[in-house]
Amino acid sequence: MATKESIKQERLPRHIAVIMDGNGRWAKKRGNQRIFGHKNGVKSVRETVEASAELGVNYLTLYAFSRENWNRPDREIDALMNLLISTIDTETKTLMDNDIKLLTIGNVEGLPQKVQDKVAEVKAKTAQNQGLKLVLALNYSGRWELQEALRRYGEDVKNQRVDNGPHQPDLEQYLTTAQIPDPDLLIRTSGEARLSNFLLWQLAYTELYFTEVLWPDFRKENLYEAILNYQTRERRFGKTSEQVVRNKTKNNAPQYG
Ligand code: IPE
Ligand code: IPE
Ligand code: MG
């Protein structure tokens, strides 16, 4: 069993992103409706948020609802929206107790008004918190985000708000993740090994970790296991292994672009 104590603090991922998957299958295995799986995923969210805060992770991004998820049956979408509201509401205490600040990425304006209101309320309430930043990806799509970024960049060029010189555009400042560092570790549960339109730009050099565990079964120990696995990886950012080992004591911030 992976333990918290075996994690090396000096190699802690600064930002962990999670594709929380497998709720429907979890419920189906128990002869229940899919929404039963979503409800049982709330405990996994709490455990993951708490464990990340306790470890000192700086950013935790959770993929809660994709743009493509609108294609699900209306009943499931309604249930997911209501669950989102009630979970943000009940978990506000966890956020306050652990000094966690709530942020969002994605097209929040495209969500039902009642969801937008709850998100805005809890963002404001946790705005002064100094610990973990919990980033909820809501109505998120990586391609949508890149298209939006390019559209807004084009507008800025047209209105001469940015210099359209022969340099690469600073696309990052136009993404919904503008103030957030790229993830170091991506976890996807339920055995699926795909990105499903998540953080397509930001995951360029992220370490990927796939586990068979279904999201409602995911506990703190599963997070520790993923982090321990991450700590065995050598992040090379295009360099050779020898260069990485030699530079270990130097500043080994990623250099790519
Ligand atoms: C993840 O579980 C939750 C959301 C996508 C909202 P799923 O609902 O995708 O569960 P499976 O993949 O069908 O088992
Ligand atoms: C990805 O899971 C989206 C979220 C976890 C919110 P999906 O279950 O929607 O992904 P696909 O459709 O299996 O790729
Ligand atoms: Mg799924």
Side-chain angles (χ1 to χ4, degrees):
M1 181 69 80
T3 61
K4 191 176 167 187
E5 289 68 39
S6 33
I7 293 171
K8 294 186 211 70
Q9 268 299 319
E10 66 279 12
R11 286 211 60 195
L12 199 63
R14 188 150 81 112
H15 180 177
I16 300 175
V18 187
I19 302 178
M20 311 181 287
D21 200 11
N23 295 353
R25 278 163 283 167
W26 188 90
K28 207 170 161 192
K29 274 204 323 199
R30 287 162 179 76
N32 263 300
Q33 307 244 349
R34 296 177 54 82
I35 189 66
F36 182 67
H38 298 315
K39 284 185 179 152
N40 277 277
V42 174
K43 177 153 197 235
S44 311
V45 170
R46 188 180 313 128
E47 291 242 336
T48 306
V49 170
E50 269 179 10
S52 301
E54 286 159 9
L55 283 167
V57 170
N58 300 123
Y59 292 85
L60 173 69
T61 299
L62 301 178
Y63 202 4
F65 194 82
S66 75
R67 237 167 118 79
E68 288 74 30
N69 288 147
W70 293 114
N71 295 320
R72 293 192 178 196
D74 289 349
R75 233 165 64 97
E76 180 168 346
I77 295 172
D78 282 351
L80 278 169
M81 292 301 143
N82 289 331
L83 190 62
L84 203 53
I85 295 172
S86 62
T87 305
I88 296 176
D89 201 37
T90 54
E91 297 310 313
T92 303
K93 186 174 173 348
T94 311
L95 303 187
M96 296 311 290
D97 289 350
N98 292 281
D99 200 21
I100 299 166
K101 180 173 176 170
L102 181 69
L103 304 173
T104 53
I105 56 171
N107 185 13
V108 177
E109 295 78 31
L111 291 165
Q113 192 59 48
K114 57 186 180 172
V115 180
Q116 291 188 48
D117 291 347
K118 180 52 71 184
V119 167
E121 176 197 320
V122 178
K123 266 187 178 176
K125 191 158 186 194
T126 61
Q128 305 307 321
N129 289 353
Q130 299 293 317
L132 174 73
K133 279 144 192 97
L134 171 62
V135 186
L136 290 185
L138 300 173
N139 194 14
Y140 180 85
S141 144
R143 287 188 174 178
W144 164 83
E145 181 178 46
L146 286 168
Q147 283 164 339
E148 265 303 294
L150 286 170
R151 189 185 62 72
R152 289 178 38 227
Y153 174 71
E155 272 178 10
D156 279 358
V157 170
K158 202 171 85 188
N159 298 321
Q160 299 182 334
R161 281 195 291 262
V162 289
D163 163 27
N164 187 23
H167 52 70
Q168 288 184 347
D170 183 8
L171 212 56
E172 273 170 36
Q173 60 164 308
Y174 291 93
L175 300 175
T176 60
T177 52
Q179 307 302 322
I180 301 171
D182 290 342
D184 300 297
L185 168 64
L186 171 81
I187 300 171
R188 182 167 189 155
T189 58
S190 86
E192 307 295 355
R194 56 176 171 266
L195 297 181
S196 301
N197 215 349
F198 194 38
L199 301 173
L200 297 180
W201 172 281
Q202 297 86 343
L203 293 175
Y205 269 101
T206 302
E207 298 295 330
L208 310 181
Y209 176 86
F210 300 103
T211 170
E212 294 292 325
V213 175
L214 300 174
W215 180 250
D217 289 328
F218 198 86
R219 294 290 171 268
K220 289 186 180 182
E221 292 69 31
N222 301 105
L223 181 75
Y224 301 153
E225 207 171 307
I227 296 174
L228 286 169
N229 182 295
Y230 165 85
Q231 295 191 328
T232 66
R233 313 271 183 102
E234 182 179 67
R235 305 188 72 188
R236 291 194 280 275
F237 299 102
K239 295 181 181 174
T240 66
S241 182
E242 290 74 14
Q243 286 175 299
V244 174
V245 172
R246 210 180 312 128
N247 288 334
K248 223 169 207 159
T249 49
K250 292 189 195 163
N251 175 17
N252 61 350
Q255 283 180 355
Y256 55 88

